[in-house]
Amino acid sequence: MRLKIKIIISKFQTLLKIIKSRRWGLLWDKITPLKKLLSLTNYLPHPQKYRYILIGGHGLGMTALLFYLNKMGAKATEIWTYEVIRPFIFYRKFDGLVLDKAPLNKDASKVLQTLKKKVPLYQIIRDPISVIKSNVNVTMFHTISSIHSQADAKRVLFEIITNIPHLMFYFASTRKLIDHITTDVTYLRMCDLDDMHMPTTLQNFAYSFGYQEALKLNGGGGDDNNDNESVVKGSLFPRCFPFAFSLQGYDFILSPRSRLQSHFRKELDMNTNLGNYTKVPTDYTILKDNITIDTYPQYPLVLIAPADKTPPKDLIEKSHEPIKAYIDEALCQIKKHQSFAFSEASIIEALRQWPDRTKLAIKIHSELAYIRKERPDFLAEFTHTASFLAQNGIDIFSTSITKEAL
């Protein structure tokens, strides 16, 4: 009896930790029937006011693009929440449907078939091996305290490919879900979303949908430091924030401006600590602005506090010590991560030792079907994937796969 009580108490404590840390994905896994019910509510009649569709994914620069689209008033909304198609999502005031993965939700395809309005599609693409590289490197940062060797890093690599490929290179699988409501397709490559070309990409989008004035009012997409900070991709430094700490009962939050949004959470070791979620207050006071770190000047930081409890000046000055201590620790963890981080070449080499490498190659080849048909010139840029497929007897440009590869 005592053992049962201890088990119940332990489960309850775990549940509280999950709720407190906002790890909703873990929570949904424990209440699957509710997840299905919430998705099915979208079979109810709903208005269809969306103006465009955006398909992207993890490791494709989606966050930066969404930052600017919302800033210009394009109101891009992701429709998945931990495999739930958000209830009554189509009643919300928004302009763009955002699909950031091929969902595991079995009802997703049927639910999306309820959409009838045809609109332009924008799809972000990237060499799949490069996408895998970005995903595995970020995931290692999420659990950096458990990475002690290259063998640990390879373990994470194979786990990522096995368990969450639908978040990455499922270009065709996601496309098929909305093909019936697509008028034309614009592919966005990594070069279209870099520092130099993002403004042009945004301007073209703005002129297509009438957001020119909003774009001008908000800097044109990449003209000021705050915007540039959000566009630069590949660095782990901004993922170390927001960082929250307290002094004498007063709360402080340190972060780049672009991550001062409620849905962002600190990603440094987030998978090994359920208690590190920081919700940025809606109303806050800026205590210090433009705090720059020598090694990352492109990511100026801002120190804030809740507007209803602003710390006194002497305490703000004392915040320098915990800030310095955290920055030093973050830079140390980044350096550790760099010693284990993968390149495209090291991923291809690691995959030689993986029993399911041919299965992965076949899947990647199938996910390139639309690009192969519509923009083979873009497919030619996927040199890393072409090399990986060739090692498995598959031609990236071929519409079929030889028996030898199978």
Side-chain angles (χ1 to χ4, degrees), residues 78-246:
E78 298 173 68
I79 67 173
W80 316 119
T81 301
Y82 302 108
E83 303 308 330
V84 174
I85 305 178
R86 295 177 184 175
F88 306 107
I89 183 64
F90 302 107
Y91 288 106
R92 295 188 178 189
K93 186 178 181 181
F94 71 100
D95 290 351
L97 291 169
V98 178
L99 289 78
D100 65 343
K101 60 186 175 183
L104 300 178
N105 187 322
K106 295 180 180 179
D107 300 300
S109 179
K110 292 181 180 179
V111 170
L112 290 175
Q113 285 295 321
T114 66
L115 299 175
K116 304 300 180 184
K117 181 182 177 182
K118 295 188 175 184
V119 296
L121 165 67
Y122 290 79
Q123 182 160 14
I124 309 175
I125 59 172
R126 185 184 184 187
D127 187 313
I129 295 297
S130 295
V131 178
I132 292 174
K133 179 199 72 172
S134 293
N135 276 269
V136 69
N137 285 342
V138 168
T139 300
M140 283 200 299
F141 197 58
H142 291 173
T143 185
I144 190 63
S145 65
S146 66
I147 305 294
H148 305 292
S149 65
Q150 207 61 52
D152 290 336
K154 288 182 180 179
R155 171 181 52 78
V156 175
L157 168 64
F158 299 145
E159 287 177 355
I160 288 293
I161 296 174
T162 302
N163 297 324
I164 64 165
H166 70 115
L167 295 174
M168 300 187 288
F169 51 79
Y170 271 34
F171 301 135
S173 296
T174 310
R175 172 78 175 270
K176 289 176 182 177
L177 294 172
I178 45 80
D179 241 5
H180 64 290
I181 53 172
T182 299
T183 56
D184 56 84
V185 182
T186 298
Y187 285 109
L188 299 175
R189 298 170 290 165
M190 293 299 96
C191 61
D192 297 314
L193 303 179
D194 63 19
D195 290 345
M196 181 180 296
H197 299 101
M198 176 70 93
T200 300
T201 297
L202 294 172
Q203 288 167 10
N204 292 338
F205 182 91
Y207 280 107
S208 296
F209 295 95
Y211 296 115
Q212 302 96 309
E213 292 304 315
L215 185 63
K216 291 178 182 177
L217 290 174
N218 287 289
D223 291 336
D224 58 58
N225 289 334
N226 294 330
D227 285 349
N228 283 335
E229 171 262 308
S230 73
V231 172
V232 178
K233 295 170 285 297
S235 173
L236 294 176
F237 184 71
R239 297 178 183 272
C240 297
F241 305 95
F243 165 60
F245 61 96
S246 298

Side-chain angles (χ1 to χ4, degrees), residues 365-377:
H365 180 271
S366 69
E367 291 296 333
L368 300 176
Y370 283 96
I371 307 173
R372 187 179 297 113
K373 177 182 179 181
E374 298 170 346
R375 293 304 303 258
D377 54 325

Side-chain angles (χ1 to χ4, degrees), residues 52 74 304:
Y52 66 90
I304 68 170

Side-chain angles (χ1 to χ4, degrees), residues 247 252 288 303 312-322:
L247 290 175
F252 298 78
K288 292 184 180 181
L303 181 66
K313 289 185 178 180
D314 63 323
L315 209 56
I316 296 175
E317 292 304 316
K318 290 182 180 179
S319 68
H320 172 76
E321 292 183 11

Side-chain angles (χ1 to χ4, degrees), residues 328-400:
D328 288 345
E329 174 62 18
L331 294 178
C332 180
Q333 294 301 327
I334 290 173
K335 184 176 181 180
K336 176 186 178 182
H337 179 276
Q338 289 172 341
S339 67
F340 297 120
F342 285 96
S343 65
E344 285 88 352
S346 61
I347 284 180
I348 294 174
E349 182 60 32
L351 289 175
R352 287 178 180 270
Q353 308 167 27
W354 196 44
D356 292 330
R357 60 186 178 278
T358 301
K359 181 179 178 181
L360 172 64
I362 293 172
K363 181 58 182 174
I364 289 178
H365 180 271
S366 69
E367 291 296 333
L368 300 176
Y370 283 96
I371 307 173
R372 187 179 297 113
K373 177 182 179 181
E374 298 170 346
R375 293 304 303 258
D377 54 325
F378 289 170
L379 196 64
E381 299 174 1
F382 294 177
T383 55
H384 303 297
T385 290
S387 175
F388 171 64
L389 295 183
Q391 289 180 7
N392 290 275
I394 300 174
D395 179 0
I396 192 172
F397 293 103
S398 176
T399 57
S400 60

